Amino acid sequence: MIQATNVTRYAWIVVALLFPVALLNYLDRQMLATMKASMVHDIPSIANRADWGLVLGCFKWTYAVLSPFGGYIADRFSKRYVIGGSLLVWSMVTWWTGHVTTFQELMAARALMGISEAFYIPAALALITEFHLGATRSRAVGFHQMGIYAGIILGGFSGYVADAPDFGWRFAFTTCGLIGI
């Protein structure tokens, strides 16, 4: 009985640890969409709709194409290390995004963000389902999803931070990157 209780406790600890990671995963990707107006001053070429679309699409296409590869890697290596490596790299890229000065740097940062984040969701969901069998699996995945949606919601507020005179878009990216690291 004690053994089963410890396993159950550990399974929920895994979800509790992944919740803030999922939050950061989606916060880091959502922030850019709400910060365009603030970023245009520093990177004028993104005012062009086509260039802004390329910046947003670069992440999405890279992420979409590489997600199956992320799952492949998570199936063959330690999911903990895949998650940790993904978090570290996307956090470094988030930090770097706060320091870009050109359209090309921003495109490169978004592509790298897509690469690094493509490894997280497949590994995290696989890890959760390894520990949560049967009756708790859906609930555990649901709590993880709550972290994702919390990140989306907070990402929506990042436009406020970007427009605040005391902060700005660079502060938001730099701070979120450092938190993840």
Side-chain angles (χ1 to χ4, degrees):
M1 181 72 170
I2 292 173
Q3 178 70 14
T5 303
N6 288 341
V7 170
T8 301
R9 183 177 296 128
Y10 187 77
W12 285 107
I13 288 171
V14 167
V15 175
L17 290 171
L18 290 176
F19 181 93
V21 179
L23 186 149
L24 272 177
N25 184 272
Y26 274 75
L27 172 63
D28 293 352
R29 75 173 71 171
Q30 287 297 119
M31 288 192 317
L32 185 76
T34 63
M35 295 183 171
K36 179 183 178 187
S38 300
M39 295 175 75
V40 166
H41 175 71
D42 293 334
I43 309 171
S45 66
I46 62 173
N48 172 320
R49 284 185 182 177
D51 286 347
W52 183 248
L54 284 171
V55 169
L56 295 178
C58 181
F59 165 80
K60 292 173 185 168
W61 277 106
T62 306
Y63 183 88
V65 169
L66 290 177
S67 285
F69 182 69
Y72 175 84
I73 295 298
D75 285 339
R76 278 148 188 79
F77 298 98
S78 167
K79 290 165 187 60
R80 293 180 326 179
Y81 292 136
V82 172
I83 291 166
S86 178
L87 171 62
L88 178 64
V89 173
W90 95 58
S91 294
M92 290 180 349
V93 171
T94 300
W95 177 87
W96 176 42
T97 302
H99 297 84
V100 300
T101 57
T102 68
F103 170 74
Q104 290 76 18
E105 283 180 300
L106 185 58
M107 284 285 290
R110 296 314 287 178
L112 285 173
M113 179 73 80
I115 294 168
S116 60
E117 287 194 2
F119 290 81
Y120 173 70
I121 291 292
L125 293 178
L127 186 65
I128 290 170
T129 60
E130 281 181 9
F131 287 100
H132 287 273
L133 307 172
T136 62
R137 182 177 282 174
S138 295
R139 195 170 346 135
V141 170
F143 277 113
H144 183 260
Q145 288 295 113
M146 190 169 64
I148 289 171
Y149 289 108
I152 291 170
I153 292 164
L154 289 174
F157 289 114
S158 63
Y160 171 79
V161 174
D163 290 340
D166 294 337
F167 298 110
W169 71 272
R170 293 185 185 282
F171 170 83
F173 278 105
T174 300
T175 301
C176 285
L178 289 174
I179 289 169
I181 292 169

